[in-house]
Amino acid sequence: MANNNNPSSLRWTLLRQALLRRPPPQPTSAAEGQSQNTIKRISRKAMQGFNMIPYHLVNKDSEEEAIILNRRNGNYNSKDATLCYTLPIHGNGAPNNKLFLTQRVNNVADISDLEFCNRHDIDNTGLVCQWPSEDVLAYFCLSHADLFRSKRVIELGSGYGLAGLVIAAVTDATEVIISDGNPQVVNYIEHNIDANSKAFGATKVKSMMLHWNQDEISNISYSFDLIIASDCTFFKECHKGLAQVVKNLLKKVGPCEAIFFSPKRGDSLDKFLEEIKENGLQFSITEKYDAEIWNRHQRFMNGDDHDAWPSYEKDHSYPLLVRITP
């Protein structure tokens, strides 16, 4: 019997789920229908989610945004689309509150991407799958900006890099490294860093190819004040490498921590935390870490939210806050 739990099988299963996602509720107007038909093509942005940071698809017919798109996405790729995220920050002293992220669209999901990942034994979820913790992490970073001020930060398994870009744009961090183990995803990260470079002020921002199983990370070992990650505990075969990377990246002197957002997903999170303990690290788990996120969770559970999430399950969808320290 075939082993359906190996990384290759899981990657193909995830692609199938992404392509067969159930359709959204029927629009109430022609304009809403056009908007939904466009947005639903975005591979990373699910129709259902916590949606803590407002976003819209950049309209190439809008003069102002067309200029931005042409300048920041010079060679427009038919596989890609650009989303504009509007950060909920206010006041005269607030920095630029818009970030532009280019990412893959659904209706051109490429089987060759999966073949590439299987050939190189890397993960493809950063390109084809919607994870509920992504904008929750970004919103948490935005809401706790003081935590990152004057700190050196790395994001693991970042996908297109929303949370890392938020930190770089609004928190006055010293340096932000946005990493992923998939070179195709890192290309998107590099593009998104370039597209938003004027928003970063004095913060140094760069991308990095970082596979959790790679042996040599001595050039960045024990050098970070903060590690952030969202939905990185799904594949159990990655737990050991991920836990070791966390231990090896946190600095040895002074306060430091890793901040993870992840649903339980059966025993997946528990198994990862066992590896964290095996590496001599400590952790705490917080369920209610933000009033608005918790309220949205409860509405999803009760099915009484106007933006319904029909497939919502707490175990698979609600991100727990995990804080890891030496």
Side-chain angles (χ1 to χ4, degrees):
M1 181 179 293
N3 178 9
N4 292 325
N5 291 321
N6 64 63
S8 176
S9 296
L10 287 170
R11 282 193 285 267
W12 287 106
T13 300
L14 288 167
L15 177 62
R16 181 179 184 275
Q17 291 174 348
L19 296 175
L20 297 179
R21 184 182 301 117
R22 69 177 66 190
Q26 291 299 311
T28 57
S29 67
E32 182 182 345
Q34 182 178 7
S35 175
Q36 285 189 3
N37 287 336
T38 303
I39 292 294
K40 73 182 180 181
R41 298 167 56 230
I42 306 301
S43 85
R44 284 278 296 182
K45 201 65 190 176
M47 289 301 294
Q48 291 85 30
F50 289 88
N51 296 325
M52 301 303 299
I53 300 180
Y55 69 95
H56 67 275
L57 184 70
V58 171
N59 180 3
K60 288 187 289 182
D61 295 325
S62 161
E63 181 178 353
E64 179 181 357
E65 290 183 336
I67 292 172
I68 293 172
L69 180 61
N70 289 331
R71 287 178 179 173
R72 300 184 177 185
N73 197 17
N75 252 332
Y76 192 77
N77 187 332
S78 62
K79 289 184 179 181
D80 300 340
T82 299
L83 292 183
C84 175
Y85 288 84
T86 302
L87 308 183
I89 50 180
H90 309 286
N92 294 332
N96 185 348
N97 70 335
K98 292 187 184 299
L99 292 174
F100 294 84
L101 272 71
T102 296
Q103 53 197 64
R104 191 68 61 88
V105 295
N106 249 353
N107 67 342
V108 289
D110 196 337
I111 298 300
S112 65
D113 294 335
L114 273 294
E115 294 171 343
F116 177 86
C117 291
N118 288 333
R119 191 163 57 245
H120 296 281
D121 192 25
I122 57 177
D123 189 84
N124 194 48
T125 53
L127 286 178
V128 303
C129 203
Q130 291 68 52
W131 300 103
S133 307
E134 182 179 7
D135 73 331
V136 171
L137 171 61
Y139 181 79
F140 178 88
C141 296
L142 185 66
S143 303
H144 297 79
D146 289 347
L147 187 64
F148 302 93
R149 185 166 292 117
S150 301
K151 298 298 196 305
R152 191 166 189 240
V153 184
I154 185 168
E155 181 176 10
L156 303 178
S158 66
Y160 297 110
L162 177 60
L165 294 171
V166 166
I167 293 172
V170 304
T171 71
D172 294 322
T174 301
E175 182 178 15
V176 178
I177 296 179
I178 306 175
S179 74
D180 200 275
N182 186 328
Q184 294 174 298
V185 176
V186 173
N187 288 338
Y188 281 94
I189 296 171
E190 291 174 351
H191 174 87
N192 291 332
I193 290 173
D194 290 342
N196 295 283
S197 58
K198 291 184 178 179
F200 302 149
T203 301
K204 297 178 182 179
V205 187
K206 64 181 181 180
S207 64
M208 175 176 287
M209 171 74 177
L210 180 60
H211 198 292
W212 301 333
N213 290 327
Q214 70 187 60
D215 296 326
E216 186 58 48
I217 58 169
S218 58
N219 59 322
I220 57 171
S221 293
Y222 310 117
S223 62
F224 291 96
D225 301 286
L226 286 156
I227 299 170
I228 62 167
S230 63
D231 266 314
C232 285
T233 64
F234 179 78
F235 293 114
K236 293 179 182 178
E237 40 285 303
C238 297
H239 288 173
K240 184 179 292 292
L242 178 56
Q244 290 173 346
V245 163
V246 170
K247 179 180 181 179
N248 292 336
L249 291 179
L250 288 175
K251 65 182 187 180
K252 288 188 173 182
V253 179
C256 59
E257 69 173 326
I259 297 172
F260 275 58
F261 278 89
S262 180
K264 286 186 66 65
R265 290 205 179 90
D267 65 350
S268 182
L269 179 58
D270 292 335
K271 292 293 186 183
F272 169 67
L273 294 176
E274 288 178 11
E275 292 291 343
I276 287 294
K277 287 193 292 185
E278 286 290 324
N279 278 271
L281 301 171
Q282 304 178 52
F283 66 87
S284 65
I285 302 175
T286 305
E287 184 178 56
K288 299 180 183 179
Y289 46 82
D290 182 272
E292 179 57 30
I293 294 172
W294 183 252
N295 286 339
R296 294 189 186 194
H297 158 67
Q298 290 184 310
R299 292 199 298 270
F300 290 141
M301 289 293 292
N302 296 331
D304 57 7
D305 193 89
H306 67 281
D307 294 322
W309 189 339
S311 60
Y312 187 86
E313 296 178 4
K314 182 178 181 180
D315 181 75
H316 284 266
S317 304
Y318 181 73
L320 299 172
L321 166 59
V322 180
R323 304 184 87 147
I324 301 168
T325 55

